């Protein structure tokens, strides 16, 4: 049982490049979400999904796209990387809308845009 | 307006003493959930404790307890008998239902850095 797997763990991009951050879970969780963590800002929600084929925007969606074609995978796409997108990105999942078992987080992707 | 407010950027506690980390929240939903997470310097997010809005008793998990005061909209984390390994960032989070404009996806506060002194 691997939980939530994020790849890559580290990435350096040049301004204007695009890339996809991968997130996969093997717990049959319906709810999946992407957060970014910046110093002093906590975790801010980028996009989320409540099931395959259903996605919606969070607090800071600009510059990011998501899709959810399967229950297991929820990739985050950076369309044209900007230095403001330098951050640590976390993917999280839960079986239902938040229970006493909490949300399971991946180990994070540290992204630097130069 | 922030949904989750953690007013203590940093806290210090002596080993073996208890410490309270503050969290207040804002919601118009009747059904919501409150979480606390720990983030050590290694970076992973570790789920500590959960309190549902309809739970009549305060949640407890080992040395962690959640002091839930619904009328005051506060959900403070109490760590008893602090250990050196408790040094970390602590995040309070809330998930709301649709009534509060929520999505059942947690919103996080900005965190409190706890340092435990020997």
């Amino acid at each position: 049982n691997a939980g939530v797997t994020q790849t890559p763990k580290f990435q350096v991009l040049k301004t204007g490049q695009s890339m996809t951050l991968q997130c996969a879970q093997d717990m049959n969780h319906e709810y999946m979400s992407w957060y970014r963590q910046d110093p002093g800002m906590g975790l801010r929600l980028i996009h989320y999904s409540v099931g395959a084929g259903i996605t919606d925007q969070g607090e800071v969606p600009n510059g990011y796209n998501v899709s959810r074609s399967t229950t297991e995978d929820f990739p985050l796409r950076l369309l044209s990387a900007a230095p403001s997108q330098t951050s640590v990105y976390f993917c999280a999942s839960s079986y239902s809308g938040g229970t006493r078992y909490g949300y399971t987080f991946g180990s994070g992707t540290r992204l630097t845009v130069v | 307006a922030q949904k989750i407010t953690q007013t203590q950027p940093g806290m210090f506690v002596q080993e073996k003493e208890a410490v309270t980390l503050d969290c207040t929240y804002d919601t118009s939903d009747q059904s919501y959930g409150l979480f606390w997470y720990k983030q050590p310097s290694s970076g992973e997010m570790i789920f500590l404790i959960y309190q549902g809005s309809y739970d009549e008793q305060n949640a407890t998990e080992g040395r962690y307890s959640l002091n839930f005061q619904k009328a005051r909209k506060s959900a403070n984390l109490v760590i008893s008998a602090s250990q050196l390994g408790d040094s970390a960032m602590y995040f309070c989070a809330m998930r709301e239902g649709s009534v509060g404009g929520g999505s059942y996806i947690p919103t996080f506060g900005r965190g409190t850095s706890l340092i435990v002194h020997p």
Side-chain angles (χ1 to χ4, degrees):
Chain A
N1 193 344
V4 178
T5 302
Q6 285 186 240
T7 56
K9 293 192 183 305
F10 301 94
Q11 183 70 49
V12 178
L13 285 180
K14 293 183 178 179
T15 297
Q17 286 184 320
S18 63
M19 79 160 294
T20 299
L21 306 185
Q22 301 292 344
C23 176
Q25 52 88 10
D26 61 356
M27 299 171 284
N28 201 30
H29 283 176
E30 300 168 341
Y31 290 70
M32 297 187 74
S33 52
W34 276 101
Y35 294 89
R36 60 177 288 172
Q37 183 178 21
D38 303 294
M41 298 297 292
L43 279 76
R44 292 183 293 170
L45 183 65
I46 304 171
H47 285 286
Y48 65 95
S49 169
V50 298
I54 305 169
T55 63
D56 207 344
Q57 298 180 350
E59 179 186 356
V60 287
N62 291 342
Y64 308 95
N65 270 358
V66 291
S67 60
R68 183 104 179 264
S69 56
T70 67
T71 299
E72 295 78 20
D73 299 300
F74 190 43
L76 178 72
R77 297 182 191 83
L78 279 69
L79 308 173
S80 177
S84 61
Q85 294 178 304
T86 293
S87 188
V88 179
Y89 292 84
F90 286 99
C91 179
S93 73
S94 173
Y95 180 68
S96 64
T99 71
R100 56 196 72 255
Y101 301 107
Y103 280 73
T104 302
F105 278 78
S107 58
T109 295
R110 186 173 293 274
L111 176 68
T112 302
V113 182
V114 298
Chain B
Q2 285 193 37
K3 294 269 188 178
I4 295 287
T5 302
Q6 295 181 253
T7 56
Q8 308 153 312
M11 290 283 287
F12 297 87
V13 66
Q14 202 76 24
E15 192 178 10
K16 298 183 182 142
E17 292 186 347
V19 63
T20 297
L21 306 184
D22 294 341
C23 173
T24 58
Y25 60 91
D26 183 26
T27 182
S28 56
D29 207 337
Q30 296 301 308
S31 176
Y32 53 90
L34 297 153
F35 306 82
W36 277 91
Y37 280 82
K38 172 184 178 181
Q39 186 179 44
S41 58
S42 52
E44 70 266 35
M45 294 290 290
I46 302 168
F47 169 64
L48 295 178
I49 197 166
Y50 170 86
Q51 178 86 39
S53 59
Y54 293 120
D55 293 343
E56 294 186 352
Q57 295 197 342
N58 288 342
T60 60
E61 292 287 346
R63 294 186 299 110
Y64 303 108
S65 60
L66 198 152
N67 185 359
F68 181 46
Q69 298 189 36
K70 197 169 183 176
R72 297 178 62 184
K73 294 188 175 179
S74 75
N76 298 339
L77 178 70
V78 180
I79 305 175
S80 64
S82 297
Q83 301 172 356
L84 296 179
D86 293 334
S87 295
M89 282 290 291
Y90 288 82
F91 292 97
C92 180
M94 175 178 66
R95 69 104 181 111
E96 300 170 277
S98 57
V99 172
S103 59
Y104 295 97
I105 303 292
T107 301
F108 283 78
R110 298 191 176 193
T112 295
S113 174
L114 176 67
I115 297 176
V116 181
H117 288 300

